[in-house]
Amino acid sequence: MATGQLFSKTTQALFYNYKQLPIQRMLDFDFLCGRETPSVAGIINPGSDGFQKLFFGQEEIAIPVYPTIEAASNAHPTADVFINFASFRSAAASSMSALKQPTIRVVAIIAEGVPESDAKQLISYARANNKVIIGPATVGGIQAGAFKIGDTAGTIDNIIQCKLYRPGSVGFVSKSGGMSNEMYNTIARVTDGIYEGIAIGGDVFPGSTLSDHILRFNNIPQVKMMVVLGELGGKDEYSLVEALKQGKVQKPVVAWVSGTCARLFKSEVQFGHAGAKSGGELESAQAKNQALKEAGAIVPTSYEALESAIKETFDKLLEEGKISPVAETTPPLIPEDLKTAIKSGKVRAPTHIISTISDDRGEEPCYAGVPMSTIIEKGYGVGDVISLLWFKRSLPRYCTQFIEICIMLCADHGPCVSGAHNSIVTARAGKDLVSSLVSGLLTIGPRFGGAIDDAARYFKDACDRGLTPYEFVEGMKKKGIRVPGIGHRIKSRDNRDKRVQLLQKYAHTHFPSVKYMEYAVQVETYTLSKANNLVLNVDGAIGSLFLDLLSGSGMFTKQEIDEIVEIGYLNGLFVLARSIGLIGHTFDQKRLKQPLYRHPWEDVLYTK
């Protein structure tokens, strides 16, 4: 491996398996370091493509998303780092695919628990093809002031405190990602900070070793000293011992192997990492620390003394003139996300939507303040849900049952009415359910099913003003307006609409008052004297009875009733109900595999 620097201020990466937070942290670090271009060139989300919006400082940018590693690599040939956030189940396959891309030079595998046999295959392939693996089970790595992998070094506040926004003189390598963050802080307190830091990962078979990176650091002129943090278990540290003994490392190495407390336990102890388990004296922290010390590394007597050892080594290099003091700079401020700023009380922002009927922020959704579990436990029906979501209150059961009856009675009226006809024709044209449903719904209006609101509006106005049926009907005639809710193409005096009769019977039995319905019947009596088919239709029945429901329940003010009628609540009942039938017709045509509909020419009057 050896060679030198892995990253630079122009390094770009491909990010596998979209994770918003680590990508945004990378971009915030880029901005903090003064990079001209974002370090994330593209995102690979299997099966998806498009763009993801993120921030680069104050500017919102769109990072392209690709469905495959090959597509992303071809689109960004200069992106030579692959950051793999796949789960342990798919990390090996995706990492191997990345290693096989000629443009990819470094692969970072974040997942822990990658099968050891898979890890060995990845390592073998990488070494044979002169490529670098960081991980598995790693947080990644960082080159101060230039590039970082994912969540390395944590939050922006920690990065600034550790002076990672500009390069220092220390090369650091560790097995642990968590301890890396701690050590960045420690090193920043007593030196000019790190130049590069790598966490090789805590699995038994890491893709690269401690000595691999120390030998790299030795070849980087800007790195003047190295710090190593190992751990008990495995024999990785001994490759570093051999390198030190063979004189391959010419720069000071301060090292500590954690896990000396293991001897206090009577039985073998497994620490956090898969590889942190002592399998014998040679793998103990004490044996490794002793071997490193004998090979020439600077090894303190305890972890607590590590900071002092680092300081003494750095100060000595400073005195010898091997390190020049770093000019401190003030990093730019990273704009705070609006959500964070609002949560901390720093800013206030207007909302864009007001909602009073439902709330999904708690443990369960609520309809008008009633939890979903209560709706189920109390056996609420569809009418009860409509009363909550439409009227923002729990109406009496006779009201909600009336709503349900209206829905059942208006669900369908055969295949010949305009709405059903449209849905059938659309379904037979091979269109999807939503398209077929909408084509039928678009026919609802003043001439088909959409007269409920108008019927309620005109009946209420006439009744409240005390107009006689004669005055009402003749007044409408003078205005050139047909009376909504009166008249039917098929039904007549001698062939009454059964739906109207059922609604009237229910209202007489359950409603405290049927004033508006009685007025509508008086109007019907007058209109029947003019023509046999000017009967009260289902629109007029529902419109007048809904007025009785609203006024008779005692739960609505006059102003609220007027608003409900004006907004279009009552037509909403027909739209909701008829959607059931239109969906049924759509399914029926598709189930029957009906061909494209063409209207017969003999049913068309061709004229000039």
Side-chain angles (χ1 to χ4, degrees), residues 488-539:
H488 203 283
R489 289 179 63 87
I490 299 174
K491 300 301 177 182
S492 64
R493 184 200 307 271
D494 303 318
N495 179 27
R496 295 300 181 99
D497 192 331
K498 187 68 176 178
R499 297 175 299 174
V500 173
Q501 294 175 333
L502 290 168
L503 290 169
Q504 290 174 330
K505 181 179 179 181
Y506 181 86
H508 276 300
T509 305
H510 297 93
F511 283 22
S513 168
V514 287
K515 178 181 72 171
Y516 291 106
M517 185 190 74
E518 288 176 347
Y519 182 77
V521 170
Q522 291 172 19
V523 171
E524 178 192 45
T525 301
Y526 178 74
T527 56
L528 282 173
S529 68
K530 291 177 169 292
N532 202 38
N533 69 327
L534 294 181
V535 293
L536 181 69
N537 59 37
V538 73
D539 291 350

Side-chain angles (χ1 to χ4, degrees), residues 411-434:
D412 191 50
H413 203 204
C416 298
V417 296
S418 56
H421 180 80
N422 265 25
S423 289
I424 289 169
V425 171
T426 307
R428 289 177 62 165
K431 300 291 284 185
D432 60 276
L433 170 63
V434 174

Side-chain angles (χ1 to χ4, degrees), residues 36-233:
E36 294 182 2
T37 55
S39 60
V40 181
I43 298 166
I44 301 155
N45 225 24
S48 302
D49 56 11
F51 293 87
Q52 282 289 349
K53 295 193 302 180
L54 293 121
F55 283 101
F56 186 60
Q58 188 72 39
E59 179 188 0
E60 195 170 23
I61 62 173
I63 297 180
V65 179
Y66 301 93
T68 65
I69 296 170
E70 292 76 13
S73 299
N74 291 335
H76 302 280
T78 59
D80 58 1
V81 177
F82 182 83
I83 302 172
N84 194 346
F85 266 76
S87 71
F88 71 91
R89 298 176 187 86
S90 60
S94 49
S95 295
M96 182 61 80
S97 178
L99 287 170
K100 290 180 178 179
Q101 302 305 311
T103 55
I104 298 298
R105 186 174 49 86
V106 179
V107 173
I109 307 171
I110 309 303
E112 44 183 317
V114 174
E116 293 179 2
S117 59
D118 291 341
K120 288 179 180 179
Q121 288 180 13
L122 291 170
I123 294 167
S124 175
Y125 185 89
R127 288 179 179 169
N129 290 274
N130 197 29
K131 301 198 176 190
V132 177
I133 295 176
I134 302 172
T138 181
V139 72
I142 184 170
Q143 184 175 320
F147 176 85
K148 88 179 187 89
I149 294 171
D151 292 315
T152 302
T155 64
I156 287 297
D157 289 341
N158 188 65
I159 286 170
I160 292 173
Q161 186 175 341
C162 297
K163 304 174 186 176
L164 294 169
Y165 54 85
R166 54 94 177 128
S169 304
V170 181
F172 172 76
V173 62
S174 167
K175 288 187 176 181
S176 168
M179 286 304 297
S180 291
N181 286 350
E182 179 65 29
M183 287 303 299
Y184 295 151
N185 200 303
T186 298
I187 291 169
R189 283 199 301 267
V190 296
T191 73
D192 61 4
I194 72 156
Y195 183 81
E196 184 183 321
I198 298 289
I200 65 170
D203 278 0
V204 177
F205 297 101
S208 52
T209 65
L210 299 173
S211 60
D212 285 337
H213 294 286
I214 290 296
L215 291 171
R216 266 199 323 103
F217 294 159
N218 191 66
N219 294 336
I220 300 174
Q222 297 91 330
V223 174
K224 306 300 182 183
M225 62 175 284
M226 285 88 91
V227 176
V228 180
L229 185 65
E231 63 186 20
L232 83 166

Side-chain angles (χ1 to χ4, degrees), residues 175-421:
K175 288 187 176 181
S176 168
M179 286 304 297
S180 291
N181 286 350
E182 179 65 29
M183 287 303 299
Y184 295 151
N185 200 303
T186 298
I187 291 169
R189 283 199 301 267
V190 296
T191 73
D192 61 4
I194 72 156
Y195 183 81
E196 184 183 321
I198 298 289
I200 65 170
D203 278 0
V204 177
F205 297 101
S208 52
T209 65
L210 299 173
S211 60
D212 285 337
H213 294 286
I214 290 296
L215 291 171
R216 266 199 323 103
F217 294 159
N218 191 66
N219 294 336
I220 300 174
Q222 297 91 330
V223 174
K224 306 300 182 183
M225 62 175 284
M226 285 88 91
V227 176
V228 180
L229 185 65
E231 63 186 20
L232 83 166
K235 298 179 181 179
D236 189 15
E237 290 79 1
Y238 288 105
S239 62
L240 176 56
V241 169
E242 289 304 311
L244 288 167
K245 285 181 177 180
Q246 293 170 16
K248 293 181 180 179
V249 182
Q250 289 81 41
K251 299 173 184 178
V253 176
V254 180
W256 177 254
V257 179
S258 59
T260 54
C261 64
R263 285 185 175 176
L264 299 175
F265 298 94
K266 293 180 180 179
S267 59
E268 189 176 69
V269 177
Q270 171 72 61
F271 287 83
H273 294 148
K277 180 179 181 181
S278 180
E281 177 59 28
L282 197 64
E283 296 184 17
S284 68
Q286 285 84 350
K288 292 181 179 183
N289 280 325
Q290 184 62 35
L292 285 166
K293 186 174 182 180
E294 291 174 357
I298 301 161
V299 181
T301 56
S302 65
Y303 177 78
E304 289 74 14
L306 181 59
E307 182 174 335
S308 296
I310 295 169
K311 184 179 187 308
E312 289 169 9
T313 305
F314 179 80
D315 289 345
K316 183 179 178 183
L317 292 171
L318 203 59
E319 289 175 11
E320 294 172 351
K322 294 181 179 179
I323 294 179
S324 300
V326 174
E328 288 297 341
T329 59
T330 302
L333 290 174
I334 299 293
E336 195 166 19
D337 287 341
L338 184 60
K339 286 184 180 179
T340 306
I342 291 173
K343 192 174 181 180
S344 63
K346 293 179 181 178
V347 298
R348 58 188 182 188
T351 55
H352 297 91
I353 293 176
I354 301 173
S355 176
T356 64
I357 64 169
S358 62
D359 192 337
D360 59 346
R361 293 171 298 176
E363 293 183 1
E364 58 178 324
C366 292
Y367 293 168
V370 180
M372 189 67 67
S373 57
T374 301
I375 292 172
I376 300 301
E377 289 165 4
K378 291 190 175 182
Y380 283 9
V382 172
D384 298 289
V385 171
I386 291 173
S387 79
L388 293 173
L389 290 177
W390 290 17
F391 302 103
K392 293 173 55 179
R393 63 204 75 187
S394 187
L395 295 174
R397 183 56 188 152
Y398 78 87
C399 295
T400 60
Q401 193 169 357
F402 175 76
I403 292 172
E404 291 171 1
I405 290 171
C406 289
I407 291 172
M408 289 187 286
L409 293 180
C410 295
D412 191 50
H413 203 204
C416 298
V417 296
S418 56
H421 180 80

